[in-house]
């Protein structure tokens, strides 16, 4: 069903801040929220079909993320669905269109009303779950690798946390941009998927030191660009994987390990590399033209079949806790989605 009767819709809601991710998942509830009766100018009403999970949701439950939504808030910041109604002044989107969107107002719900400019047409070869998982990973990857990392064809790219949503999409994107890609992750099953999306080489850093493996793969040249969303001890190892000929770019994406590393700044001097902070959402908010240009590029790559989000699991909304538990257990490879309207394949 698309909507619950009586002018309400169901949503996965965080009502209070928790001391841990596990506690936050247990505390999250499936609530009935009131529908917005009339659309304001520029708005569209969407029947949501899928919402994609990202690691920051677990942090938001604990009030540990840089963006701190007011309680109570609907979980998930990416979704996809079918447009059901548009405001009178909206002309570029019409009812019946399939779209995907990224929105901090929460996407894990049966219905969203949002500004039409936030909606992007769903590429025809992608499922609703793939569409829900498209924006955040590829936009972060593109902003990191192209805008901030200035990645060039033929350069060595190392991606850590390569089995997660952000990492796997950076592997795929790096390959599409012509780099030689080394995917590094903590398990062999994650690395098998990395090979499927185009990684040239893989490293299991639960079994061997990054420096040893990367040195061997690159013949001692090491890496021009490093995409690093893990933090902690993995970041420390990455500092020793920068290109020996200088000019490497070590991209700080996030700290999925939960540990923010302490950086020995003398290493930047000794090895002559750039430590580059990547904040996709905030930066592209300041540069909407750059954002539009990026989306056109990403759509082009998707239409050429070079980008296709890998979805490892779909859960109907009633099983939302199982979806978040999979992420908390670090068992998600690529993307995990919550689905609505009988759209789950499980």
């Amino acid at each position: 069903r698309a909507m619950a009767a009586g002018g309400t819709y169901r949503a996965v809601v965080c009502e209070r801040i928790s001391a841990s991710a596990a506690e936050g998942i247990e505390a999250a509830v499936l609530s009935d929220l009131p529908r917005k009766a009339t659309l304001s100018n520029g708005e569209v009403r969407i029947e949501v079909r899928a919402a994609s999970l990202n690691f920051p949701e677990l942090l938001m439950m604990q009030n540990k993320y840089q963006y701190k939504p007011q309680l109570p808030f609907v979980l998930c910041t990416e979704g996809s669905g079918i447009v059901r109604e548009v405001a009178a002044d909206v002309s570029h989107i019409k009812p019946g269109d399939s779209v995907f969107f990224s929105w901090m107002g929460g996407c894990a719900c049966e219905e969203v009303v949002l500004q039409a400019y936030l909606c992007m047409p769903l590429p025809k070869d992608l499922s609703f779950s793939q569409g829900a998982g498209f924006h955040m990973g590829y936009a972060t990857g593109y902003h990191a690798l192209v805008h901030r990392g200035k990645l060039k064809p033929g350069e060595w790219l190392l991606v850590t946390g390569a089995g997660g949503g952000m990492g796997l999409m950076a592997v795929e994107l790096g390959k599409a941009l012509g780099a030689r890609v080394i995917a590094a992750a903590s398990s062999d099953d994650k690395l098998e998927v990395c090979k499927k999306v185009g990684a040239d080489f893989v490293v299991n850093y639960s079994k061997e030191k990054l420096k040893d493996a990367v040195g061997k793969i690159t013949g001692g040249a090491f890496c021009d660009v490093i995409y690093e969303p893990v933090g902690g001890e993995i970041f420390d190892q990455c500092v020793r994987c920068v290109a020996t000929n200088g000019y490497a770019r070590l991209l700080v994406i996030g700290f999925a390990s939960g540990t923010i590393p302490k950086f020995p700044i003398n290493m930047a001097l000794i090895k002559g590399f750039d430590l580059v902070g990547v904040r996709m959402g905030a930066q592209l908010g300041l540069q909407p033209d750059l954002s539009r240009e990026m989306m056109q590029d990403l759509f082009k790559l998707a239409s050429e079949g070079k980008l296709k989000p890998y979805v490892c699991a779909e859960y109907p909304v009633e099983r939302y806790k199982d979806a978040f538990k999979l992420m908390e257990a670090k068992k998600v490879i690529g993307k995990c989605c919550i689905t609505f309207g009988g759209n789950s394949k499980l």
Side-chain angles (χ1 to χ4, degrees), residues 186-263:
S186 57
S187 72
D188 290 339
D189 55 343
K190 287 178 180 176
L191 293 172
E192 278 308 309
V193 178
C194 292
K195 286 183 201 165
K196 277 186 199 162
V197 304
D200 297 295
F201 300 92
V202 296
V203 179
N204 183 336
Y205 47 59
S206 67
K207 291 182 179 170
E208 57 183 327
K209 282 266 177 274
L210 270 177
K211 186 184 176 186
D212 299 340
V214 171
K216 205 179 301 169
I217 290 166
T218 61
F222 291 92
C223 294
D224 303 290
V225 177
I226 301 175
Y227 182 98
E228 213 300 279
V230 180
E233 185 227 343
I234 294 302
F235 175 89
D236 297 341
Q237 290 189 43
C238 285
V239 172
R240 288 165 170 77
C241 292
V242 295
T244 46
N245 64 355
Y247 299 101
R249 290 81 78 197
L250 173 47
L251 307 174
V252 182
I253 311 296
F255 315 104
S257 65
T259 305
I260 297 176
K262 300 277 184 284
F263 176 59

Side-chain angles (χ1 to χ4, degrees), residues 120-144:
M120 289 158 277
L122 183 70
K124 63 178 187 319
D125 294 337
L126 301 188
S127 69
F128 282 113
S129 287
Q130 287 173 319
F134 190 94
H135 184 261
M136 204 79 79
Y138 290 136
T140 301
Y142 191 98
H143 181 58

Side-chain angles (χ1 to χ4, degrees), residues 100-324:
F100 70 95
F101 43 88
S102 180
W103 189 51
M104 297 315 273
C107 301
C109 46
E110 292 176 316
E111 176 176 307
V112 292
V113 171
L114 41 74
Q115 287 291 314
Y117 73 83
L118 293 168
C119 298
M120 289 158 277
L122 183 70
K124 63 178 187 319
D125 294 337
L126 301 188
S127 69
F128 282 113
S129 287
Q130 287 173 319
F134 190 94
H135 184 261
M136 204 79 79
Y138 290 136
T140 301
Y142 191 98
H143 181 58
L145 299 177
V146 177
H147 298 152
R148 302 292 282 140
K150 310 278 192 280
L151 180 69
K152 296 189 272 296
E155 286 193 315
W156 282 107
L157 168 67
L158 170 64
V159 177
T160 64
M166 296 290 136
L168 195 63
M169 289 163 109
V171 168
E172 203 179 358
L173 194 53
K175 202 64 202 146
L177 295 167
R180 291 182 284 179
V181 183
I182 304 169
S186 57
S187 72
D188 290 339
D189 55 343
K190 287 178 180 176
L191 293 172
E192 278 308 309
V193 178
C194 292
K195 286 183 201 165
K196 277 186 199 162
V197 304
D200 297 295
F201 300 92
V202 296
V203 179
N204 183 336
Y205 47 59
S206 67
K207 291 182 179 170
E208 57 183 327
K209 282 266 177 274
L210 270 177
K211 186 184 176 186
D212 299 340
V214 171
K216 205 179 301 169
I217 290 166
T218 61
F222 291 92
C223 294
D224 303 290
V225 177
I226 301 175
Y227 182 98
E228 213 300 279
V230 180
E233 185 227 343
I234 294 302
F235 175 89
D236 297 341
Q237 290 189 43
C238 285
V239 172
R240 288 165 170 77
C241 292
V242 295
T244 46
N245 64 355
Y247 299 101
R249 290 81 78 197
L250 173 47
L251 307 174
V252 182
I253 311 296
F255 315 104
S257 65
T259 305
I260 297 176
K262 300 277 184 284
F263 176 59
I265 205 150
N266 62 314
M267 293 297 282
L269 185 150
I270 294 163
K271 292 175 176 278
F273 71 92
D274 299 351
L275 184 68
V276 183
V278 177
R279 45 171 217 160
M280 181 274 293
Q283 194 62 48
L284 295 181
L286 298 172
Q287 297 180 279
D289 290 353
L290 195 64
S291 183
R292 274 191 289 277
E293 200 180 287
M294 172 189 79
M295 287 315 296
Q296 282 168 357
D297 248 11
L298 289 172
F299 276 136
K300 183 173 176 287
L301 290 169
S303 70
E304 291 166 0
K306 290 177 181 170
L307 300 180
K308 209 163 198 176
Y310 181 89
V311 179
C312 75
E314 297 175 304
Y315 292 94
V317 64
E318 295 78 10
R319 292 181 60 199
Y320 66 95
K321 286 187 182 176
D322 292 336
F324 282 107

